[in-house]
Amino acid sequence: MKIARLMLLVLSLVLVPNGIYKSLATRPSVVNIGSILRFNSTIGGVSLVAIRAALEDINSDSTILNGTTLRVDMKDTNCDDGFLGMIEALQFMETDVIAIIGPQCSTIAHIISFVANELQVPLMSFASDATLSSIQFPFFVRTCPSDLYQMNAVAAIVDYYRWKLVTAIYLDDDYGRNGIAALDDALTLRRCKISYKVGFPSNAKKSDFINLLVSVSYMESRVIILHTGAGPGFKIFSLANQLNMMGNGYVWIATDWLSAHLDANSSVPAETIYGMQGVLTLRSHIPNSKMKSNLISKWSRVSKMYNYSDLRTSSYGFYVYDSVWAVARALDAFFDDGGKISFSNDSRLRDETGGTLHLEAMSIFDMGDSLLEKIKKVNFTGVSGQVQFNAAGDLIHPAYDVINIIGNGMRTVGYWSNYSRLLSTVLPEVLYSKPPNSSLANQHLYDVIWPGETAQKPRGWVFPSNAKELKIGVPNRFSFKEFVTKDNVTGSMKGYCIDVFTQMVEDNAFDAAIGDIAITMGRTLITDFTQPFIESGLVILAPVKKHITNSWAFLQPFTLQMWCVTGLFFLIVGVVVWVLEHRINDEFRGTPREQIMTIFWFSFSTLFFAHRENTMSTLGRVVLIIWLFVVLIIQSSYTASLTSILTVQQLDTSIRGIDDLKSSDYPIGFQVGSFSEDYMVKELNISRSRLIALGSPEEYADALKRGPKKGGVSAIVDERPYVELFLSTYCKIAVAGSDFTSRGWGFAFPRDSPLQVDLSTAILSLSENGELQRIHDKWLRTGECTDDTTQFVDSNQLRLESFWGLFLICGVACVIALLIYLVTIIRKYQRHEHPEEPMAPQGPRRHSIRRFISFLRNFFSFLDGKEPVKKKRSLSLSRGSMPTMPVSSNLAALDIERPVRPARNGNAIDIEN
């Protein structure tokens, strides 16, 4: 029975996944890790204290490593002497350790990375050299942000303040050279560049630094990037103060070596701080947290234990602390998966000559690749923030504080994060919770106090004292000399463009002049242009056929004949409607004076559809409807014509814009030397044979006057400034259509010239304060033409021929209505005519005349009279009130001339048969 139970226990351990492996794999009581530091440096001292603090916390935490004690073996190395430091590091690699914290020096990190790869020992390094990569060195794990990100932050600052050139001073070793190379790449992406870079050796003397700074002072750029260590960095600042290179006009940007030293050292002399006033520096961003506060609170106690009581923590201390924790967590996962710590010798490592390196003592960590995999998978929140590595082996979310040295301390003016790749005053950890926004419009920093204790942003460049004079090309114009011309007396240049340039350089620091240079796509490929100081789109010039400016322009839409016929028809329609409505409509009756006024009022009020008289007859309504339609057409045509006359000048050619110009075959003029020739040929596909070069305003006017049929041109294509100046002198010519290109004139400089940015800013300033307009008015004030021949009558007026059909329809309608009315009224007159009284016997002829006169008098009296409602009895046709007698007998008995029907108001009205 006991044997059976034992067998079941063994089988269960075998069958349960990892069960027997975990049970049989025992954790060692002690695990050794190594650390390669420079103990007598600020970063080395801070790192040592951070490692000791991390080990204290790890070994006292029962939830990590399950009783295994983590121990560290430390090695002091010499970073100044690369060879000696390398030997010391190689000797340390003879120790069997599962991981190494460090080294801090890039030179040693390169060498140790090769050894770590061979021995399969993860290297947890906080060397920031951008060329150290997990691609080349798989066992290299960077536990702080790479200089690649730091240099992107520096480039973002340079670009934010619109500086184009920088000078780089660096320590000439792997750290310095590779950092500046990364900066150069980052600046290039922003169309900036390092105009001058100078390195110095680690053993440089004071004279070397002085010579270096003197050479920098001769350079054009005043933006200086200092990428070095704390020792030489403070020497450079001190000497720069003595050489007056820390005053107005200079910009100093130090990489994170400065903030790391100032954060960690509480005993920096006050004169050192005051000698760096206005300097900008970067600091790796560490978010505030309770863990960070706990480490800071215990830092003083731990630092005293290891004789570093004068050191405070810095960003490097936080990263080193988290590095040790990352190894501990990875090691815990490594043991959970059954990992064992064992080393084996490599037969290839032999010291053939019997030297002191003892290469055969170096052992390979058998399961180093498994531990490396666990390290790369760690994901926890440490004192430095989120500890997690991306695919490239770098920490996620690298970010920096932008710091300004002010007074006796430092002030944070903003942040840069790789998440947004922008400068911002918002904490990076806040941005991580939002979608990334890379718009440059979102960039912002708080105000900076620059060297010289000024808040005004430095220009960032000067003309170097040892540079040659600038040579500026000026167009030698033969026409339109108001823009650029040479003074025959003094030999100097003058004109609109020259005044604009001179006004931008009030201190006369530039000995330069420029001209009317259009900004085109081809030119921007080889030069940099400033902000345009005048708009210069291409426009079309064509002869003007009319130029109406007199006070009676409102009469011009119609010809005199049109005005007369229109007025006559107003009266005719008024009379016709009066005739048709007079007998039955009280609104058209009254005294003769009142009836005449009614005719005039009704006629002309129809122009505005404001007639208040109602028409009751069918014929009157038909005539009125037709007339209102005619009035509508006349009114709309008048409005459109008057608008065109007052706002648009008509051209004597069919060209109204660029499309008409392209479709025609007429010759086209252009200014000699203008880019408009190539534009029309290449962009508009206009045959070059159609283009005629013109060299002066006089040739412009002559060519347009002669026209295409007499050897001239139908239109001229030129830039708007020239056209406006031309039109101020020559009349009968105007712009056809609108600008068909949007360009401007600017000052051209070599690519990436700092002059371009500053002059663009100056142009905007002149535009805002009105100075640019004053210069424009001085040289390019456009006057009015004095040619009296331009005051002539428009030949494109609306003529009667365009409306005779409408008037014909209206006239025919009036005639037909009158004829119908006349026939109807005669019938009514005959029906209502009373028998004539007996007349005295007279001669036949005399009797006929009197009879005719009597007829006319009676007929017109009938016409003028109010048509009565003739009835002897009203018949109500409403429902329920019909007469009881037969209709036929009723009509016979009542002797009714016309039947009646009930009106809507209850009164009876006549109904014609």
Side-chain angles (χ1 to χ4, degrees), residues 159-160 162 422-424 437-445:
D159 185 49
Y160 175 75
R162 299 184 180 276
L422 297 176
L423 296 168
S424 174
N437 188 342
S438 300
S439 173
L440 294 178
N442 295 326
Q443 288 206 125
H444 179 64
L445 291 177

Side-chain angles (χ1 to χ4, degrees), residues 29 227 310 480 518 571 585 667 674 709 729:
S29 58
H227 185 52
D310 59 335
F480 298 105
L571 294 177
N585 194 338
S674 172
K709 296 181 180 179
T729 305

Side-chain angles (χ1 to χ4, degrees), residues 360-390:
E360 71 279 0
M362 295 183 183
S363 303
I364 297 175
F365 180 22
D366 294 330
M367 298 191 70
D369 54 348
S370 298
L371 180 60
L372 176 65
E373 182 181 356
K374 299 300 181 184
I375 290 175
K376 290 185 176 181
K377 289 183 178 180
V378 297
N379 185 357
F380 66 95
T381 301
V383 294
S384 63
Q386 189 68 22
V387 180
Q388 184 181 357
F389 299 98
N390 58 23

Side-chain angles (χ1 to χ4, degrees), residues 57 171 232 405 583 615 668 705 751 808:
D57 292 340
L171 178 63
I405 307 297
R583 297 191 70 247
T615 52
I668 305 169
K705 182 179 180 180
R751 298 281 289 181
L808 178 62

